[in-house]
Amino acid sequence: MKTLPITQVIPEVKEKLLNNNRLVLQAPPGAGKTTALPLALLDEPWLKGKKIIMLEPRRLAVRSSAARMAELLGEKVGKRIGYQIKMESVQSKETQILIITEGILTRKLQHDPSLEDVALIIFDEFHERSLHADLSLALALESQAVLREDLKILIMSATLNTSAISELLDHAPIVQSEGRAFPVDSIYLPTHTPQPNKKELPSFVHTLLHGILQKEEGNILVFLAGVREIKAVEKLLNNTKPKDVFVSTLYGNLSKEAQDRAINAPPKGFRKVVLSTNIAQTSLTIEGITVVVDSGLQNVSTFNPFSGMNKLESNFISQDSATQRAGRAGRLSEGKAYHLWHKSKILLKHDVPEILLADLSQMVLELACWGNDEIDTLSWMDSPPSSAINHAKKLLQQLGALDEKEDITTHGIAMSRYGLHPRLAHMMLKAQTLGLAYEASLLAVLVSEKDIYRNAFGSSDMRERVSVLHDVARKVAVDTQFINLKQCQYLLANAKRIEKVQKETIDLEMLGILMAFAYPDRIAKQRYEKNNSYLLSNAKGASLHKSDELFHARFLVISDLDARSKDATIYKAIEVTQTQIEEHLQAQIQQSDEVDWNDEQQRVEVRRVQRLGALPLRETQRMNTSNEEVLDVLLEALGELGLGVLNWSKEALLLRQRVNFVNAHQVGFPDFSDDTLLENMDEWLAPYLSGITTLRACQNLDFYNILLGQMSFEQTKLLDTLAPTKLKVASGSHIAIDYTNIEQPVLAVRLQEMFGTKSTPTVLGGKVKLMIHLLSPASRPMQVTQDLENFWNNTYEEVKKELRGKYKRHYWPDDPLTAIATSKTKKHM
């Protein structure tokens, strides 16, 4: 340990911790901070028989660092060095250093907020900024401030904004270790080489590795985004690799044995190629790496609080991550790092913290148990987004963990004790009341852990998976070509820790409703029969692959889906029946009378509908149409259809035109324009719609009298004076006036009936001359004029000649101003 770089700063760390309860340590990868530093603190006076707890972001790092520290002490893990991860604990009364994953600390703080048996909490690799790390630190700082002033907190990181974290810790002192790293030559893509896309990447990496294996020595570490990419490259390599090359993979859900194979030195005479996710970026030391190949990508699950779904995205890493990955090649000697992007590419300086991307429902439940409903008062490096907090509170209220005031309920406290996601904890509690806790425990581990089916198996059905898992538990043979037997055994061990009482037979039919307890917002109903599109109870959409075995299912509960497109893709689901929903989720089913416009029937319909969220379950037609909602829907429909669908009589249209004509020239009458009538139907039309639900009934209304009712008696009389419907002409006939053009009304009259009329007739009290359309005896327009006097004096002679030739039986005098107006022929005059 004396040769480790961290050794140089250990005296300073001891001195600072002796005089301060908060400290920040920055040390690069390989400095020895994870293993050497905690061991160096075992004899410090402030320990006084208490423990050091060290947090690691990953289970693999917890186990490997515990093993290394125990080895350095010449002991087995479980004595002075212990560890605890989800569903696994190796420790004893002798344990002085306990290495845990970050979520375990939250559980310990909830059980004992003062952590009486703990002297120091070490947050290792804090730069990774996991959600649990941020929450654990916030709770630990509050515990230190309120209950345990003597509790010491040490933040360690390889790359960290040390000034920001120091400020968060009330300007805690900072210790820096220079570390020790050999030079690493960074090699970027040539400018003329396009950056490979996701589909091209496995083949590109495979070709690059063959070239590296021929010209470079030592072991190679390849960083890829996820398991799918790792398996694709592994398959290509295993078909073409040299005989002395040993290929291993490294990712979170591998067995401990497989992870150890990746970390340890390869068999004698072999070189090793390790294909890894960013799990190998920090904390772990992989033997003999001299070359790093970095795809520059990582899979990040981003939670969308507005859809309530996670979206798995392949994103570029930050500058910090690129530096850490490259540094893996410079641990033991000079190395090389192949960056599969162009040198000119701009990367973010730091990774985005998980607290800004994740589902915060479990964190909000933890804080509710902690008793702090003022989330902003805690110490955060980055404050959690309000949208995610609000979504979490809404979900927890739906699950019964929080009441209407957002205070934790007895049910919520019971949920928190499981240490599961609130959805699964709620499911477990509900299952217990039904005697189905064993079945629920199988569902819980299947939902939260890696799938038991291999990649070639494409069914989304969770019921099948539970059946397979139960078969494995009962020692029934399963097809290992499609089923990962080791994963099944791992899940069964985890399930037994959740529910110890096992069963010989299980109720497969009730699994759907168990899942519905966990995901009430993701109960889904087929939009149309024999269709793969579903509507979720949270009003979002999702689609099932057409070849999926659940394609026929009318109702599903979805546990795993993404939000990559308009409709999320369903990955894991289980069928549930409507009868089960109605029986077991009755409290969440709401009944209401819904009023809608039936476009096909052209009518308002009132239906009594039972809904689970956005999903209609049952509906019945109702005949009661006396409520205001019916009127509102009818008026809205008429507004969208327009006034043209109503049956306007000639009298009603003429009344509107006359009023609009008067209003165009002077103010004082109701506005009967289309826009105003549409906008104010609730005033002039609504009183006449009582009991009416159909468009046909609306069309039978007397719109002339309805509009007339909008005017006073005085206005009606004045309208007859200003804009009469007819004008008595010289012949004695009453001719209708056309007010279609509200700017210029028209009088269309036979020319003969206007003999003797010297000046143009007017309306609006003489203010507006009528436009006279002078017609032939056959009612064809012969002349249009607004100046009759000028017509008689200058144009009549020419018109008379034409009319005499065509209409010889009619009277065409030489002097029209002295002639008698008539509508008759000469014979009847």
Side-chain angles (χ1 to χ4, degrees):
M1 291 201 303
K2 292 181 180 179
T3 61
L4 291 171
I6 199 68
T7 306
Q8 298 175 6
V9 299
I10 284 178
E12 185 181 359
V13 170
K14 287 183 175 181
E15 185 270 326
K16 297 293 186 188
L17 282 176
L18 193 61
N19 300 298
N20 300 274
N21 287 335
R22 297 178 178 182
L23 180 64
V24 179
L25 172 64
Q26 183 176 2
K33 63 183 182 299
T34 300
T35 53
L37 180 60
L39 292 176
L41 301 175
L42 281 176
D43 295 325
E44 289 302 286
W46 44 259
L47 199 55
K48 296 178 182 177
K50 294 185 178 182
K51 291 180 183 176
I52 295 173
I53 286 183
M54 183 166 73
L55 280 73
E56 292 291 339
R58 295 182 178 87
R59 286 178 282 186
L60 177 56
V62 168
R63 283 194 293 246
S64 63
S65 56
R68 176 59 179 157
M69 291 166 72
E71 181 185 357
L72 290 170
L73 292 177
E75 298 176 354
K76 289 184 177 181
V77 175
K79 291 190 174 293
R80 279 187 288 174
I81 310 299
Y83 73 83
Q84 185 177 351
I85 59 178
K86 183 180 180 182
M87 307 298 180
E88 186 178 351
S89 177
V90 181
Q91 58 181 306
S92 65
K93 292 180 180 179
E94 300 175 49
T95 301
Q96 292 179 281
I97 297 176
L98 182 65
I99 309 165
I100 62 177
T101 45
E102 294 147 341
I104 302 294
L105 178 58
T106 304
R107 303 253 54 77
K108 288 183 176 296
L109 282 163
Q110 294 285 21
H111 179 70
D112 176 15
S114 61
L115 292 179
E116 292 296 341
D117 64 340
V118 177
L120 169 67
I121 303 174
I122 301 175
F123 291 81
D124 194 19
E125 308 295 356
F126 189 74
H127 63 275
E128 293 201 12
R129 296 294 311 284
S130 75
L131 173 61
H132 282 301
D134 277 8
L135 174 60
S136 297
L137 179 58
L139 297 184
L141 288 173
E142 185 161 275
S143 175
Q144 185 190 57
V146 177
L147 302 171
R148 282 284 311 280
E149 188 178 352
D150 64 319
L151 179 65
K152 297 183 183 295
I153 295 174
L154 170 61
I155 308 291
M156 303 199 304
S157 177
T159 56
L160 182 69
N161 186 345
T162 50
S163 59
I165 189 65
S166 173
E167 186 176 343
L168 181 71
L169 300 184
D170 197 19
H171 302 286
I174 301 170
V175 176
Q176 287 187 305
S177 169
E178 296 300 323
R180 180 190 66 199
F182 292 94
V184 176
D185 184 17
S186 287
I187 303 166
Y188 295 88
L189 286 180
T191 53
H192 62 273
T193 302
Q195 186 172 316
N197 60 34
K198 190 173 183 179
K199 187 176 181 181
E200 299 165 342
L201 188 64
S203 177
F204 188 94
V205 170
H206 171 248
T207 302
L208 178 64
L209 285 172
H210 268 280
I212 293 172
L213 286 168
Q214 291 174 11
K215 63 182 180 181
E216 306 287 354
E217 295 181 355
N219 298 323
I220 303 169
L221 174 59
V222 184
F223 285 101
L224 295 162
V227 176
R228 180 176 296 180
E229 293 81 3
I230 286 174
K231 289 188 175 294
V233 175
E234 180 186 27
K235 184 177 180 181
L236 291 171
L237 271 179
N238 283 335
N239 290 333
T240 59
K241 67 179 177 65
K243 292 181 179 179
D244 64 340
V245 172
F246 179 78
V247 179
S248 59
T249 60
L250 185 58
Y251 48 88
N253 283 323
L254 281 176
S255 66
K256 183 179 183 298
E257 294 75 21
Q259 290 174 344
D260 289 343
R261 282 197 299 272
I263 294 170
N264 298 332
K268 190 173 182 180
F270 281 81
R271 300 174 64 187
K272 182 166 62 172
V273 176
V274 180
L275 307 175
S276 176
T277 61
N278 60 2
I279 193 173
Q281 191 169 298
T282 57
S283 303
L284 302 176
T285 298
I286 301 176
E287 297 288 341
I289 298 297
T290 58
V291 177
V292 165
V293 176
D294 185 1
S295 69
L297 298 172
Q298 61 182 350
N299 283 343
V300 178
S301 181
T302 303
F303 180 70
N304 184 337
F306 302 106
S307 67
M309 302 175 191
N310 287 313
K311 182 179 181 181
L312 191 65
E313 297 178 318
S314 186
N315 295 335
F316 251 89
I317 59 174
S318 66
Q319 293 177 33
D320 285 348
S321 293
T323 301
Q324 291 224 29
R325 288 182 176 188
R328 293 283 148 179
R331 286 289 188 91
L332 303 176
S333 64
E334 294 183 3
K336 291 184 178 179
Y338 290 81
H339 306 287
L340 304 191
W341 63 88
H342 300 111
K343 192 173 183 179
S344 59
K345 185 173 182 65
I346 299 174
L347 302 178
L348 292 173
K349 183 165 180 56
H350 307 292
D351 287 320
V352 179
E354 188 183 5
I355 199 169
L356 301 181
L357 303 173
D359 173 8
L360 301 183
S361 54
Q362 190 163 9
M363 187 192 85
V364 172
L365 180 61
E366 295 287 0
L367 290 174
C369 287
W370 184 253
N372 192 322
D373 55 359
E374 298 293 332
I375 294 174
D376 292 341
T377 64
L378 291 170
S379 299
W380 304 103
M381 281 282 285
D382 293 276
S383 296
S386 58
S387 57
I389 292 292
N390 292 335
H391 176 273
K393 288 180 177 178
K394 184 177 179 181
L395 174 62
L396 292 172
Q397 286 176 326
Q398 190 175 10
L399 297 176
L402 299 181
D403 61 21
E404 293 180 355
K405 296 180 180 179
E406 299 180 355
D407 294 327
I408 193 162
T409 62
T410 303
H411 184 69
I413 293 171
M415 285 169 57
S416 70
R417 295 191 183 114
Y418 272 97
L420 299 170
H421 189 283
R423 292 181 183 274
L424 303 179
H426 173 67
M427 176 183 71
M428 289 303 306
L429 291 172
K430 296 289 287 184
Q432 283 183 353
T433 64
L434 298 173
L436 299 171
Y438 172 64
E439 288 87 339
S441 70
L442 299 183
L443 268 178
V445 294
L446 283 166
V447 165
S448 53
E449 297 286 351
K450 175 190 170 187
D451 197 4
I452 61 172
Y453 287 166
R454 302 189 188 277
N455 288 345
F457 211 97
S459 171
S460 68
D461 191 0
M462 292 293 285
R463 182 175 277 111
E464 286 183 359
R465 288 167 168 81
V466 171
S467 180
V468 168
L469 208 52
H470 183 61
D471 283 346
V472 174
R474 302 276 75 80
K475 307 285 193 268
V476 177
V478 296
D479 189 348
T480 55
Q481 181 182 353
F482 298 114
I483 296 164
N484 186 333
L485 189 58
K486 283 188 176 181
Q487 181 65 9
C488 289
Q489 292 164 343
Y490 171 73
L491 294 189
L492 286 169
N494 287 349
K496 197 167 185 178
R497 291 183 177 94
I498 298 173
E499 173 53 49
K500 291 183 171 56
V501 179
Q502 309 289 291
K503 292 167 67 174
E504 287 296 325
T505 59
I506 57 174
D507 190 341
L508 292 174
E509 295 305 313
M510 285 295 289
L511 293 178
I513 203 63
L514 290 180
M515 188 80 86
F517 292 145
Y519 295 94
D521 53 330
R522 295 188 194 170
I523 298 171
K525 183 180 180 182
Q526 208 171 28
R527 292 185 190 271
Y528 312 102
E529 193 174 350
K530 296 182 179 178
N531 186 271
N532 69 325
S533 179
Y534 285 80
L535 173 67
L536 277 65
S537 53
N538 64 9
K540 307 302 178 183
S543 59
L544 194 65
H545 195 279
K546 290 184 179 179
S547 63
D548 197 284
E549 293 181 13
L550 291 177
F551 181 80
H552 67 282
R554 185 70 175 140
F555 286 90
L556 293 175
V557 186
I558 304 167
S559 62
D560 187 11
L561 74 173
D562 65 23
R564 292 188 180 186
S565 58
K566 185 179 178 181
D567 269 6
T569 301
I570 299 171
Y571 296 129
K572 303 283 178 55
I574 194 166
E575 187 173 7
V576 66
T577 68
Q578 182 167 337
T579 301
Q580 289 175 323
I581 293 171
E582 290 173 340
E583 180 180 353
H584 295 282
L585 299 176
Q586 188 61 46
Q588 298 179 44
I589 297 174
Q590 296 183 333
Q591 181 173 280
S592 62
D593 288 344
E594 297 186 3
V595 186
D596 297 297
W597 178 256
N598 186 322
D599 216 20
E600 185 178 339
Q601 300 291 329
Q602 297 285 279
R603 63 179 295 144
V604 179
E605 291 184 346
V606 182
R607 295 169 295 124
R608 177 152 288 177
V609 182
Q610 290 182 334
R611 287 184 183 276
L612 178 72
L615 302 182
L617 299 177
R618 295 186 184 276
E619 61 178 61
T620 53
Q621 204 77 24
R622 296 201 66 208
M623 301 309 294
N624 182 10
T625 58
S626 61
N627 59 60
E628 292 182 7
E629 274 190 278
V630 173
L631 180 60
D632 290 341
V633 170
L634 180 59
L635 288 174
E636 184 180 351
L638 291 175
E640 291 179 1
L641 292 170
L643 296 178
V645 300
L646 300 176
N647 188 16
W648 296 94
S649 65
K650 291 181 180 179
E651 292 80 8
L653 285 173
L654 180 57
L655 177 61
R656 288 182 59 195
Q657 292 164 356
R658 291 165 63 207
V659 169
N660 290 337
F661 160 69
V662 173
N663 282 334
H665 295 273
Q666 67 180 49
V667 181
F669 283 82
D671 187 348
F672 288 165
S673 65
D674 283 1
D675 289 346
T676 301
L677 288 178
L678 277 172
E679 188 176 340
N680 296 290
M681 282 193 294
D682 58 327
E683 295 179 8
W684 68 270
L685 183 56
Y688 301 92
L689 297 179
S690 178
I692 289 180
T693 60
T694 67
L695 177 60
R696 182 183 292 275
C698 292
Q699 291 170 334
N700 290 334
L701 294 172
D702 183 354
F703 287 99
Y704 173 75
N705 279 308
I706 289 174
L707 291 182
L708 206 59
Q710 302 300 303
M711 300 168 61
S712 67
F713 177 77
E714 290 76 14
Q715 286 176 323
T716 305
K717 288 297 183 183
L718 183 57
L719 180 65
D720 289 341
T721 301
L722 298 176
T725 58
K726 294 181 178 181
L727 180 73
K728 185 177 181 180
V729 295
S731 67
S733 298
H734 290 79
I735 307 298
I737 302 173
D738 183 358
Y739 291 95
T740 303
N741 182 347
I742 62 173
E743 297 294 334
Q744 181 57 70
V746 172
L747 183 71
V749 59
R750 290 186 180 91
L751 188 152
Q752 295 163 292
E753 298 195 60
M754 296 298 287
F755 291 157
T757 305
K758 294 181 180 181
S759 57
T760 307
T762 62
V763 289
L764 208 68
K767 294 179 182 178
V768 177
K769 289 183 177 181
L770 294 173
M771 183 65 70
I772 310 300
H773 288 204
L774 295 169
L775 310 177
S776 70
S779 297
R780 292 175 181 170
M782 300 302 298
Q783 190 70 28
V784 175
T785 182
Q786 210 172 11
D787 188 349
L788 272 180
E789 186 175 0
N790 181 61
F791 169 75
W792 297 131
N793 291 334
N794 299 306
T795 310
Y796 174 69
E797 279 298 321
E798 292 181 17
V799 173
K800 178 184 68 172
K801 292 176 184 178
E802 183 180 346
L803 291 173
R804 273 182 176 175
K806 288 183 178 180
Y807 304 99
K808 296 178 180 179
R809 293 184 298 163
H810 290 264
Y811 174 55
W812 304 109
D814 293 331
D815 184 1
L817 293 176
T818 60
I820 299 173
T822 181
S823 60
K824 302 176 181 177
T825 61
K826 288 187 284 187
K827 181 179 179 180
H828 294 93
M829 286 179 67

